[in-house]
């Protein structure tokens, strides 16, 4: 596997460097970013404050009272000079998220089918057929950006975001898929809902999903969805209440 052509270091405030390894999304990027994160943990030691991985970058936050930006930059340059990707393999914890695919909780399911020129059943089958990688966490607590979608399902975000998307809503946008962990605004296409508790203040680490984890969406009946604590309240009903405030 070839190394990134031109790793780029960008200042991120007084205590951070953004390491940009790639310009496009690819599952293979994760092997390099994982290796880089592991090396940073080893080399920076107690001076490391945080690591924030994404699809193509790794934000390295250091303690400015223990090391200077120039020293941190040199450490990163030394790491990048000999960086090799992590070994390919399963890696990460596998999560199976039961999902009720229905227009009641996935009001954009028909829109996705129309844009994809597929039946609703084919959209559901294609979405469940892949094992997705968690590339990044952000936007909202526990919100995991996952990919990559079957190219047939690729579709743009909504022109006008919803003011309130119900927790557990399973959605797609571009090459990505996700499940909303909490009620929040959102412009992704809603195609279903999972009863899984994706964000829990009483859970260690709070988020069910972590970068590098693998996720499979498993189609569930309404009965199973309800039995596992799923909320069947229509998504558009939540939208209307949010708009009225």
């Amino acid at each position: 596997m070839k190394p990134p052509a031109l790793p780029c270091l960008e200042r991120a405030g007084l205590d951070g460097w953004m390491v940009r390894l790639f310009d496009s999304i690819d599952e293979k990027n994760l092997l390099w970013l994982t290796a880089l994160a592991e090396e940073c943990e080893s080399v920076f030691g107690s001076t490391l404050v945080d690591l924030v991985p994404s699809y193509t970058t790794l934000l390295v936050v250091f303690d400015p009272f223990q090391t200077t930006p120039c020293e941190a930059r040199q450490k990163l340059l030394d790491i990048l000079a000999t960086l090799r990707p992590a070994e390919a393999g399963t890696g990460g914890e596998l999560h199976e998220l039961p999902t009720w695919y229905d227009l009641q909780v996935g009001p954009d399911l028909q829109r996705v089918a129309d844009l994809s020129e597929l039946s609703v059943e084919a959209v559901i089958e294609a979405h469940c057929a892949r094992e997705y990688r968690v590339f990044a966490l952000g936007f909202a607590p526990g919100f995991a950006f996952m990919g990559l979608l079957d190219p047939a399902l690729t579709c743009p975000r909504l022109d006008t975001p919803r003011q309130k998307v119900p927790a557990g809503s399973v959605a797609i946008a571009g090459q990505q898929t996700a499940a909303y962990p909490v009620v929040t605004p959102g412009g992704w296409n809603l195609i279903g809902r999972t009863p899984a508790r994706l964000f829990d203040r009483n859970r260690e680490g709070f988020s069910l999903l972590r970068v590098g984890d693998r996720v499979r969406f498993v189609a569930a009946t309404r009965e199973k969805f309800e039995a596992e604590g799923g909320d069947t309240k229509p998504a558009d009903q939540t939208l209307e209440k949010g708009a009225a405030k």
Side-chain angles (χ1 to χ4, degrees), residues 1-74:
M1 186 181 298
K2 294 182 179 180
L6 292 172
C8 178
L9 297 182
E10 305 168 6
R11 282 297 298 269
L14 298 175
D15 59 352
W17 285 99
M18 180 74 77
V19 185
R20 188 173 302 279
L21 292 182
F22 305 96
D23 292 323
S24 59
I25 297 174
D26 191 312
E27 189 170 338
K28 293 178 182 178
N29 295 359
L30 193 59
L31 299 176
W32 289 95
L33 291 165
T34 297
L36 177 58
E38 291 175 350
E39 286 296 314
C40 285
E41 289 179 349
S42 174
V43 172
F44 278 81
S46 63
T47 66
L48 185 66
V49 174
D50 198 10
L51 294 169
V52 185
S54 187
Y55 284 104
T56 59
T57 63
L58 178 70
L59 173 62
V60 181
V61 182
F62 56 87
D63 184 347
F65 294 102
Q66 295 190 58
T67 188
T68 67
C70 289
E71 291 171 341
R73 181 177 184 275
Q74 187 57 54

Side-chain angles (χ1 to χ4, degrees), residues 97-102 105 124 128 193-195 218-232:
L97 303 184
T99 302
W100 180 36
Y101 294 92
D102 190 271
V105 292
I124 296 170
C128 290
R193 194 177 296 173
T194 178
V218 181
T221 63
R222 175 173 181 152
E223 290 71 26
K224 178 177 176 60
F225 176 76
E226 289 185 291
E228 297 192 18
D231 182 3
T232 61

Side-chain angles (χ1 to χ4, degrees), residues 117-176:
E117 298 183 346
L118 297 170
S119 66
V120 167
E121 292 74 18
V123 168
I124 296 170
E125 183 178 350
H127 189 256
C128 290
R130 290 203 169 192
E131 184 177 280
Y132 303 100
R133 283 281 185 176
V134 176
F135 287 100
L137 297 175
F139 171 63
F143 189 98
F145 293 85
M146 294 177 269
L148 297 171
L149 274 179
D150 183 325
L153 300 184
T154 300
C155 59
R157 291 173 170 81
L158 303 178
D159 292 334
T160 303
R162 290 180 169 86
Q163 292 186 23
K164 293 181 69 176
V165 174
S169 293
V170 174
I172 63 177
Q175 295 178 283
Q176 306 169 99

